[in-house]
Amino acid sequence: MHEKNIQIQPLTQENFAPFGDVIEKSGKDFIPINQGLTERYHALSLAQVSGENVAVAMSIFHNLFATAIPFQIEMLERHPYGSQSFIPLQQQQFVIVVALPLDETQPDEQQIYAFLSNGKQGITYHQGVWHHPLITLEAESDFLVVDRIGGGQNCDVYPLSQPHWVVDL
């Protein structure tokens, strides 16, 4: 078997729509609040959760190491009972790797996509979307993460049948 290359593309709401939402204010309407001192970009993404004894939590993920492009991926994961949002806190670029489902239990290894956030964009993976864990291009970077916590197993891991390389634009 030969390795498959996945070319990184710019992150837009249109090309990311099958997987979730792009969280950004660019091109979005706002509501003036606080006597006109603030622009509220309302409900750019909605958290999804299911199950009993669960809640939506906000956490900070602190990545210690940068990833250099190209890089290899060997697995994908999904969270069947909740969405997961990543918002860069230092406006750092990061790579998002996602896959369409092949069936109820596995991703389609022929339909894996990679996107590059411009650093002012966050993302929400819809509930059950296959994705690679967080990949940052800068060391010592923080992300606000909004996701489901609580009862039940909410992380399925799928080892890919062969390594896939994520390559530059």
Side-chain angles (χ1 to χ4, degrees), residues 36-135:
L37 299 175
T38 305
E39 297 172 347
R40 178 178 177 150
Y41 295 84
H42 185 69
L44 297 174
S45 183
L46 300 176
Q48 302 168 318
V49 294
S50 59
E52 294 185 25
N53 301 315
V54 299
V56 175
M58 288 179 264
S59 306
I60 292 180
F61 284 19
H62 179 72
N63 277 49
L64 298 172
F65 303 99
T67 298
I69 299 170
F71 60 89
Q72 198 173 64
I73 63 167
E74 297 179 355
M75 58 77 74
L76 295 172
E77 66 180 27
R78 70 174 175 177
H79 307 286
Y81 303 115
S83 59
Q84 192 174 44
S85 300
F86 291 87
I87 300 136
L89 294 179
Q90 292 106 1
Q91 296 190 352
Q92 67 273 24
Q93 292 184 325
F94 65 105
V95 178
I96 301 106
V97 178
V98 291
L100 292 173
L102 181 63
D103 58 32
E104 294 293 317
T105 63
Q106 61 186 322
D108 184 344
E109 292 191 42
Q110 302 307 310
Q111 295 193 65
I112 300 175
Y113 301 91
F115 302 98
L116 179 64
S117 165
N118 65 16
K120 295 182 181 180
Q121 301 165 305
I123 57 100
T124 297
Y125 297 120
H126 285 167
Q127 187 170 328
V129 166
W130 289 103
H131 63 278
H132 192 274
L134 183 61
I135 304 162

Side-chain angles (χ1 to χ4, degrees), residues 13-24:
Q13 183 57 58
E14 293 74 29
N15 62 15
F16 193 69
F19 311 104
D21 302 317
V22 176
I23 303 168
E24 66 180 330

